[in-house]
Structures are given as C-alpha cells and as structure tokens.
Amino acid sequence: MRIEYDVKLDFKDVLIRPKRSILQSRAEVKLEREFRFKHAGTKWKGVPIIAANMDHTGTFDMAVALGEHQLMTALGKFISLEDWKKFANDYAEILPSCFVSVGISETDFEKLAQLAKVVKFSSICLDAANGYTERYVEFLVRLRKAYPDKVIMAGNVVTGEMVEELILSGADIVKIGIGPGSVCTTREKTGVGYPQLSAIIECADAAHGLGGQVCADGGCVTPGDVAKAFAAGADFVMLGGMLAGHDECSGEIIEENGRRFKRFYGMSSAEAMEKHHGAVAEYRASEGRSVNVPYRGAVKHTVNDILGGVRSTCTYVGAQRLKELSKRTTFIRVTKQLNEVFVPYTLNDNK
Ligand code: 5GP
C-alpha cells in the first residue's frame, strides 16, 4: 500500500484569477475550435461541448438542438439501426456532430459494422466505465484497425500513463473522469476515483504531448465548472446532468405536487440495467442513481447560459478565443467558492 500526499483538486477547490485584458466585450470571444485528429486525420470545427451518451441526454432531438449551436452529441448506445438510418437521412448536416456509442462486446462490434454499412458517421465513442482493462485496450486496437478514418473517443481514465496508452492504441480523444458524474455512485460503491480538475490537468498534458485530445467527462454543475474544465486543458467537455430535464431529453414529464420533472438515471444504475439487460447481474453492484430532475423547457436556454458563462470567463482573463483560455489561466486555490446564502446555483435555476 502507498499513499500519495499531493493534494488533488476538484472544480470547487479553485477559482480563475482575472487578468488585464484588451477585450471590450464577451461578444468578441470565439468559442469555436478547430481540431485535426491524430489517427483519423480528419478535421472538425465547432464549439467543443458534447452531450453525454446517456439514454436521457444522448438523443437525436438533442443532437439537432445542439447542432444549431455547433455543439456535439454522443448518441446513446441503445439506439436502433432503423432510427439511425432515419436520422442520417433527415439530418445529414447534423451527422458530423454526432458520436456513435459502442461498448466492448462482440455484439457491439457487429452492431457497429452493420451501422457503418448504412450510415456515414464520422465519430465513435468507445464507452466503458473503466478504460484500464486489457480487454478494453485490445478492443480499441481492433476498432482502430477496422475504422482507420473515424474519430475514436475512448475512456474513461484519469491518469496520464493510461491516456498515453489509449492514444498509442488508436484513440484520437481520451475521455477523462472516474466517479465525478451527477448520477454516478462509483466513489460510494468502490472508493475509487480522482478529483476531476487535477485529472484534467494531468491527462491533458499527457495527451497533448502525443498530439491527442482529451474530453473532460462528468462533474460540471455550473457554467463556471465548464470554463474551469477548459481552463484546465480540456479540449472537449462532456455534459450529462447540466443538459438533463429538457424537452430534447428522453422520457415523459412527470407531475408531482404541482411541479414538473423528468427522469434521469445513470447508465450503470439499476434502472438502466433493468431497462437494457433485464436485471442487475448478481456479481456487480449498480454504480449509478436515478433522480427526478426539474423540467427545464428547451435546451437552447441552458446552452446560451453555458456559452455566455464561458465567453465571460474568457473576457475576464483576456482570452479572445477559447483556445487561449488555458494558457491565460492562473487557478487560485480557495476554501470557499460560492456565496450560497440565498439560492445556490442548482440544476433548476437557469431561467
Ligand atoms: P455529469 O455531467 O452528469 O456530471 O456526468 C456525466 C457522465 O457521468 C457521463 O458522461 C458518464 O461518463 C458518467 N455516468 C453516466 N452514468 C453513470 C453511471 O451510472 N455510473 C457512473 N459511474 N458514471 C456514469
């Protein structure tokens, strides 16, 4: 057994120090970024925020709504071939902003091969709660061989050496985050995890050294957290909870005591496992929870709130483009981040 005494940080442990700036207003800030992907060799331009590939947020309606703002969506893993075909046909222009999600089983590999025959998708999200297993890496190598020109986002991991291994094994983008998610119970159930801000800082450094990118996945609760993730070096930021509860999310509106909600559950929750696999396998504990999140209307209001926040961050540090935010950031370690005397910034107060 070993103990590391270096303090690792979360979003709540830091603030971004303002810097002198020549920017007049946040309207001058450009949030678009352009990337060329290491293995796929393709280019992408847009606002590098991605809706999580969870049943609730990874929907075609979300892809269409976010696509209008040049944001991306990782579609859920359980979408049928028929639905994909219809979407690709009706919304060909949105397709380049979508990730197809795939797990690491043989069935997943075959399903993807079927899809590739009929839908010209550009990007794959190879999804596993734990990207550290040998089986995962072998699957990634196989996927890269089969799809040399598709963008592959792989994860999740939280340490530099594993980021390097995934990039060398074929990942263009590595997804960072174990345990920070809003409906994740991994830390309670297993005691495993890594504070998300430090994970991003360390992993971004490792990825950039090899010409790869990282996507910070999980734990953002406010637009300020999204800004901190970018400031820490994330190339992309993936959001679940912050995009939950909207019209574009799956599930009906639930009325309770005169208030409206939508159901949001973790993809490893008992609810998800029962839905997709019939039951929770006996050998595994569920590592996700289910919650009713307040209904929040159209997602475009939330998107504007997030993008407005990140633009403002850039203005505070004098970054004219999102790309410069990380270089211009000095984080300061704090013991108190927000004044919560009235209403804390929660999922339901974006209006
Ligand atoms: P959020 O933005 O809601 O904080 O985090 C979203 C991320 O949480 C997802 O992209 C995914 O990586 C992770 N996640 C989703 N469902 C589960 C789950 O059931 N268990 C765990 N451990 N993580 C989950």
Side-chain angles (χ1 to χ4, degrees):
M1 196 274 296
R2 251 191 84 211
I3 301 182
E4 266 188 35
Y5 285 100
D6 256 13
V7 177
K8 302 294 176 184
L9 304 170
D10 240 311
F11 296 128
K12 67 165 183 26
D13 300 319
V14 298
L15 287 167
I16 297 168
R17 199 171 77 184
K19 294 210 165 115
R20 276 159 61 194
S21 155
I22 52 161
L23 290 177
Q24 307 281 343
S25 104
R26 61 187 193 174
E28 289 174 39
V29 174
K30 286 197 182 57
L31 294 184
E32 291 84 19
R33 289 209 58 184
E34 186 167 339
F35 295 106
R36 174 182 281 281
F37 297 107
K38 178 181 171 87
H39 295 281
T42 52
K43 273 190 190 167
W44 175 86
K45 193 175 173 190
V47 178
I49 293 177
I50 310 173
N53 54 336
M54 301 169 75
D55 286 352
H56 188 62
T57 52
T59 65
F60 288 129
D61 285 347
M62 184 65 82
V64 172
L66 296 195
E68 280 169 20
H69 299 262
Q70 297 177 273
L71 273 61
M72 284 187 289
T73 299
L75 278 300
K77 205 165 85 178
F78 299 97
I79 292 172
S80 72
L81 190 68
E82 283 312 306
D83 288 347
W84 263 113
K85 262 175 27 187
K86 186 170 178 334
F87 174 74
N89 195 39
D90 296 351
Y91 292 99
E93 74 286 3
I94 306 280
L95 205 55
S97 304
C98 294
F99 283 84
V100 175
S101 300
V102 60
I104 59 167
S105 73
E106 199 51 43
T107 323
D108 285 308
F109 197 85
E110 279 158 26
K111 261 176 67 184
L112 189 68
Q114 293 303 322
L115 185 67
K117 284 186 194 153
V118 287
V119 174
K120 290 205 170 358
F121 59 84
S122 58
S123 311
I124 302 169
C125 175
L126 177 58
D127 199 37
N130 176 2
Y132 281 81
T133 65
E134 222 169 296
R135 180 162 165 239
Y136 182 87
V137 178
E138 284 162 13
F139 194 94
L140 171 60
V141 170
R142 189 173 159 208
L143 199 65
R144 173 50 72 202
K145 276 209 186 100
Y147 301 96
D149 55 1
K150 307 273 188 215
V151 176
I152 299 181
M153 177 159 70
N156 280 19
V157 300
V158 285
T159 49
E161 92 288 353
M162 205 57 203
V163 168
E164 287 164 2
E165 165 126 22
L166 295 188
I167 290 176
L168 295 174
S169 303
D172 297 294
I173 310 168
V174 178
K175 206 142 64 73
I176 310 304
I178 292 190
S182 58
V183 283
C184 165
T185 57
T186 295
R187 292 179 185 177
E188 282 125 280
K189 289 288 169 77
T190 68
V192 175
Y194 208 101
Q196 185 68 350
L197 187 93
S198 288
I200 299 168
I201 293 171
E202 294 166 25
C203 292
D205 192 44
H208 296 160
L210 289 175
Q213 277 100 28
V214 291
C215 174
D217 176 22
C220 290
V221 180
T222 60
D225 292 342
V226 179
K228 287 174 189 175
F230 283 124
D235 303 286
F236 297 87
V237 176
M238 181 172 266
L239 302 175
M242 282 187 77
L243 299 178
H246 295 98
D247 290 330
E248 292 80 358
C249 300
S250 69
E252 299 305 313
I253 296 173
I254 306 160
E255 294 238 17
E256 255 175 32
N257 303 326
R259 292 187 63 200
R260 294 189 292 174
F261 299 89
K262 279 192 129 183
R263 188 78 168 162
F264 177 47
Y265 52 83
M267 293 311 292
S268 308
S269 63
E271 192 163 338
M273 285 196 245
E274 274 153 26
K275 187 163 180 190
H276 299 298
H277 307 291
V280 180
E282 245 175 57
Y283 62 88
R284 63 187 291 186
S286 79
E287 286 179 23
R289 67 179 113 247
S290 298
V291 289
N292 289 342
V293 295
Y295 167 65
R296 297 195 285 160
V299 75
K300 67 175 182 209
H301 304 300
T302 300
V303 168
N304 286 334
D305 192 42
I306 296 170
L307 301 188
V310 177
R311 269 198 200 96
S312 190
T313 313
C314 290
T315 316
Y316 270 113
V317 300
Q320 192 151 22
R321 298 179 297 157
L322 181 59
K323 188 177 180 206
E324 295 160 15
L325 175 58
S326 170
K327 277 181 229 134
R328 295 194 59 93
T329 290
T330 303
F331 284 121
I332 42 173
R333 179 85 173 84
V334 297
T335 50
K336 180 177 161 76
Q337 185 202 182
L338 305 172
N339 182 342
E340 294 179 357
V341 66
F342 296 121
V343 187
Y345 193 111
T346 59
L347 285 177
N348 60 351
D349 77 345
N350 69 327
K351 286 193 203 136

